[in-house]
Amino acid sequence: MSDDVLKQLAEVLESRKGADPDSSYVARLYSKGLDAILKKIGEEATETVMAAKDGEADKIIYETADLWFHSLVLLAQQGLGPEQVLAELERRFGLSGLEEKANRDK
């Protein structure tokens, strides 16, 4: 498994931007706008938290996949992609979390 799946998914999400809202879930979500996408991310984040509280690995993975998916929808809707997030994570790699946060506050 590699980041190829993220690239492939980003391409599919991009292709859904102009699609008929009745033709796909993602096209329908795009047609509803930013607030609907953000609401869905909030729901998925809550479900991920609840899955973690339940301590069931399968549920945690499932809900995290939903959260990541909807986050990718948001990125695409905003004209961004997973490669930019991966680049930011790579930039942070090797930095202390405390150091990285302190640098953001400047």
Side-chain angles (χ1 to χ4, degrees):
M1 179 68 86
S2 69
D3 63 354
D4 287 346
V5 71
L6 292 177
K7 181 180 177 186
Q8 292 168 352
L9 183 54
E11 290 169 1
V12 170
L13 295 175
E14 191 65 31
S15 75
R16 298 291 196 267
K17 281 185 175 179
D20 180 348
D22 292 330
S23 69
S24 86
Y25 169 77
V26 172
R28 183 173 302 138
L29 201 51
Y30 284 144
S31 75
K32 291 180 180 180
L34 180 60
D35 286 346
I37 295 168
L38 296 175
K39 180 180 177 188
K40 195 64 186 165
I41 290 172
E43 291 171 6
E44 298 303 342
T46 299
E47 290 172 4
T48 301
V49 168
M50 298 308 295
K53 293 286 279 177
D54 291 343
E56 295 182 37
D58 289 348
K59 282 185 179 180
I60 295 168
I61 291 167
Y62 182 88
E63 296 301 345
T64 300
D66 281 352
L67 178 58
W68 286 13
F69 175 83
H70 288 90
S71 294
L72 289 168
V73 171
L74 171 66
L75 288 172
Q77 192 266 350
Q78 294 289 306
L80 303 168
E83 67 281 352
Q84 291 160 291
V85 177
L86 292 172
E88 176 60 16
L89 289 172
E90 187 174 354
R91 183 192 70 78
R92 294 179 188 186
F93 193 78
L95 285 178
S96 153
L98 297 174
E99 178 184 356
E100 196 280 327
K101 182 161 176 34
N103 288 339
R104 276 190 271 159
D105 293 338
K106 291 181 182 177

